[in-house]
Amino acid sequence: MAKEKIVYVCKNCSYQSSSFLGKCPECGAWGTFEELVNTNTTSSKKNVEKQGFKLPKPISNINYSENIRLNVEDKELNRVLGGGLVVGSVVLIGGEPGIGKSTLLLQIALKIKNRTVLYVSGEESEEQIKLRQLRMKESSDSCLVLAETNIENILSASDEVNPSIIIIDSIQTITTSEIENYAGSITQVRTCADKLIDYAKNKNIPIILVGHITKDGMLAGPKILEHMVDTVLQFEGDKNYGYRILRSIKNRFGSTNEIGIYEMTSFGLQCVENPSKVLLSQREEELSGVAICATVEGKRTILIETQALVSPTYYSSPQRISNGFDIRRMNMLLAVLEKKAGVKVSNKDVFLNIAGGLRVNDPAIDLSIIASIISSHQDTPIDKKYCFAAEVGLSGEIRPIPYVDRRVNEAAAMGFKKIFLSKYNKDNLQEKIKNIESVFISSINDLVETIIK
Ligand code: TYD
Ligand code: MG
């Protein structure tokens, strides 16, 4: 019998060590090491591969089929995947508990009517899944449900029904009888994922895995899971708001800039087709501390509201709280504002919020954040027909951003009359867009002068 080899793996960064360590020398995390048993199956697999090796061939001789992407009947998910689910690929969807992963996947299983979809749940019973289906008011005869946690049983059941897509909810609950570790341990997760990836490639069908996220936002279980699969999507959003964002973190078959936006309703997740419309609050009066930014996420342009509250502090060090925007970047923008525009914020508490519970990575949001902070600081509202899109540099300069045409067009379509851009973007604006005036500025001082009436 081949000897079992044990290594210890850091769950945080997948660093491997031959002995157990309290602190990871690679990423510095404490208590993240877990035993990983390299089972005999992997070594015997290597031998088989050695005996029946394949000869490399010229890339031009490789056959491929045009129809390698399956339509998942969900506009948002199709877009985030890069145009559909690639056959033979494995997709991992991560997200906090209760964010809506099971809802999204059962919904897709029900919407794909012309193909057999096998929905395997290790977390819920058949009755619970049935109740969820009734809630969604969607039904399908080609959606097969299996409440099972043993990988060997799952794959045998799959061999019987020959599905076109398999959904596993969740990978942390699935175990193999080959090893004795508990469900969710690194060894179990890795071995089961390995088997599923092999199965997907051999049968040429896509598999979607659900992965849980720990409190600090990491995919629970080994980081190596992210390296093993083809695509990693993250489902996020503030549970108190109805909106959910599906973000692509890794995609071997598409762009990673794409996002999908959903709204959680009483009958499942609905695709949000015009996000700008729903994300801008329908306010009649002008409020101080509110500014609108034209952001670009993948193929879409979205108008988002940034809100700031600046108030005198009663503490020795002022409070800085940010929702949906990187707090270090907010501190940097505050320092720039104080030093370059003379807006004194060092003795003020600053609270920042991106409306709708979204998280924005587009640097073009800087100018809108600065504008909302100035507006709240001076307690003067910004004209509600104004919109912003530019990055702010460390010396207070307004920096250019890509896709200006798209941003200006979207702002005009949503009825905005003025958009503030960097002067370096002037030449990028291809055409004169009707009904909106583009204001090109070069420093935050220009902004303070123009927006405060
Ligand atoms: P769920 O899909 O179970 O989350 P996850 O699998 O990520 O843990 O989503 C659970 C939440 O969604 C729960 O709080 C109830 C809510 N929900 C709705 O609001 N409407 C619905 O139609 C469904 C099915 C769930
Ligand atoms: Mg679930």
Side-chain angles (χ1 to χ4, degrees):
M1 199 180 111
K3 208 176 145 200
E4 276 188 352
K5 195 171 162 235
I6 294 176
V7 286
Y8 295 87
V9 182
C10 168
K11 280 197 279 186
N12 198 15
C13 66
S14 72
Y15 176 84
Q16 297 195 359
S17 156
S18 56
S19 57
F20 183 84
L21 299 173
K23 185 184 177 191
C24 176
E26 184 78 18
C27 67
W30 285 91
T32 51
F33 273 82
E34 212 177 271
E35 190 179 281
L36 171 70
V37 184
N38 274 337
T39 45
N40 309 351
T41 39
T42 30
S43 55
S44 56
K45 201 172 85 186
K46 272 189 195 135
N47 292 338
V48 173
E49 274 169 6
K50 262 186 199 156
Q51 286 159 13
F53 71 95
K54 285 197 270 181
L55 276 176
K57 53 177 152 181
I59 195 161
S60 48
N61 291 1
I62 299 175
N63 297 326
Y64 76 101
S65 119
E66 293 279 346
N67 300 324
I68 54 161
R69 285 191 191 265
L70 298 183
N71 177 357
V72 289
E73 306 296 338
D74 179 299
K75 259 189 167 171
E76 302 296 300
L77 183 59
N78 268 336
R79 176 157 15 79
V80 176
L81 288 170
L85 203 50
V86 173
V87 295
S89 74
V90 177
V91 178
L92 176 67
I93 298 192
E96 284 176 20
I99 203 78
K101 302 177 295 295
S102 309
T103 309
L104 177 71
L105 293 179
L106 182 61
Q107 197 169 309
I108 285 157
L110 295 168
K111 277 190 192 162
I112 304 174
K113 302 218 194 289
N114 50 355
R115 292 194 162 86
T116 313
V117 183
L118 176 60
Y119 180 89
V120 182
S121 181
E123 303 196 336
E124 284 162 290
S125 66
E126 287 168 14
E127 293 82 40
Q128 284 170 322
I129 299 168
K130 177 74 191 169
L131 286 176
R132 197 190 283 268
Q133 179 248 314
L134 292 175
R135 213 173 152 185
M136 289 181 197
K137 302 193 179 103
E138 184 94 44
S139 185
S140 162
D141 292 334
S142 54
C143 170
L144 305 176
V145 170
L146 178 69
E148 174 64 81
T149 55
N150 181 281
I151 186 81
E152 284 79 20
N153 290 348
I154 294 171
L155 297 183
S156 309
S158 168
D159 284 340
E160 293 294 314
V161 294
N162 264 327
S164 303
I165 298 176
I166 304 180
I167 295 171
I168 308 277
D169 187 1
S170 66
I171 183 71
Q172 276 98 354
T173 53
I174 308 297
T175 53
T176 166
S177 29
E178 279 172 16
I179 42 181
E180 282 174 1
N181 292 43
Y182 58 92
S185 66
I186 290 196
T187 317
Q188 283 288 5
V189 169
R190 201 182 92 147
T191 316
C192 293
D194 230 348
K195 283 177 187 279
L196 286 164
I197 292 166
D198 272 354
Y199 193 81
K201 304 277 179 258
N202 290 338
K203 296 265 174 179
N204 209 22
I205 53 167
I207 298 187
I208 305 180
L209 309 176
V210 169
H212 287 294
I213 279 203
T214 53
K215 266 190 244 112
D216 37 2
M218 265 173 351
L219 272 165
K223 187 90 179 154
I224 27 182
L225 200 54
E226 285 188 34
H227 300 301
M228 292 162 78
V229 298
D230 300 298
T231 304
V232 181
L233 307 180
Q234 184 134 328
F235 207 30
E236 56 188 41
D238 192 323
K239 271 187 268 170
N240 302 322
Y241 291 93
Y243 298 110
R244 302 280 186 273
I245 309 280
L246 191 63
R247 210 179 274 279
S248 161
I249 297 176
K250 162 183 172 179
N251 195 350
R252 284 190 183 144
F253 311 107
S255 146
T256 49
N257 298 325
E258 285 307 333
I259 63 163
I261 304 183
Y262 294 91
E263 185 177 3
M264 181 63 95
T265 66
S266 54
F267 46 91
L269 288 154
Q270 303 296 309
C271 297
V272 175
E273 293 191 9
N274 188 348
S276 304
K277 216 170 189 166
V278 292
L279 292 172
L280 296 181
S281 55
Q282 307 298 324
R283 58 199 159 96
E284 292 292 315
E285 71 279 26
E286 288 177 340
L287 302 169
S288 68
V290 174
I292 311 294
C293 173
T295 64
V296 167
E297 295 279 354
K299 291 197 186 75
R300 285 210 297 201
T301 318
I302 307 170
L303 297 185
I304 290 180
E305 191 174 294
T306 58
Q307 305 163 341
L309 175 67
V310 180
S311 65
T313 187
Y314 295 104
Y315 301 96
S316 51
S317 59
Q319 294 186 78
R320 297 286 151 87
I321 294 173
S322 166
N323 280 324
F325 186 71
D326 182 14
I327 190 139
R328 283 169 303 179
R329 188 141 187 103
M330 169 174 121
N331 282 329
M332 184 211 96
L333 293 177
L334 289 171
V336 172
L337 203 53
E338 177 135 358
K339 176 133 194 199
K340 299 290 171 184
V343 180
K344 197 151 172 43
V345 278
S346 53
N347 56 352
K348 300 277 167 55
D349 287 339
V350 181
F351 306 95
L352 199 71
N353 188 34
I354 309 290
L358 299 194
R359 185 167 62 79
V360 178
N361 296 329
D362 183 1
I365 198 170
D366 285 357
L367 194 60
S368 172
I369 301 253
I370 290 256
S372 45
I373 293 172
I374 297 172
S375 162
S376 175
H377 182 264
Q378 318 278 33
D379 205 14
T380 314
I382 296 172
D383 191 313
K384 62 177 183 176
K385 295 286 174 205
Y386 287 5
C387 171
F388 304 85
E391 192 183 335
V392 175
L394 280 180
S395 48
E397 81 278 19
I398 308 294
R399 298 166 59 90
I401 33 100
Y403 315 115
V404 247
D405 280 338
R406 280 167 56 188
R407 300 179 201 259
V408 180
N409 268 314
E410 178 74 5
M414 296 306 295
F416 286 86
K417 295 288 174 224
K418 249 185 205 183
I419 179 160
F420 291 80
L421 302 163
S422 159
K423 73 167 183 189
Y424 301 107
N425 269 136
K426 206 167 186 169
D427 296 338
N428 305 110
L429 210 55
Q430 306 290 337
E431 55 193 288
K432 172 108 184 69
I433 295 156
K434 281 188 196 140
N435 301 330
I436 189 161
E437 182 194 343
S438 301
V439 183
F440 298 100
I441 55 175
S442 57
S443 77
I444 51 173
N445 280 316
D446 300 350
L447 181 77
V448 180
E449 284 159 23
T450 10
I451 59 168
I452 301 299
K453 291 179 242 168

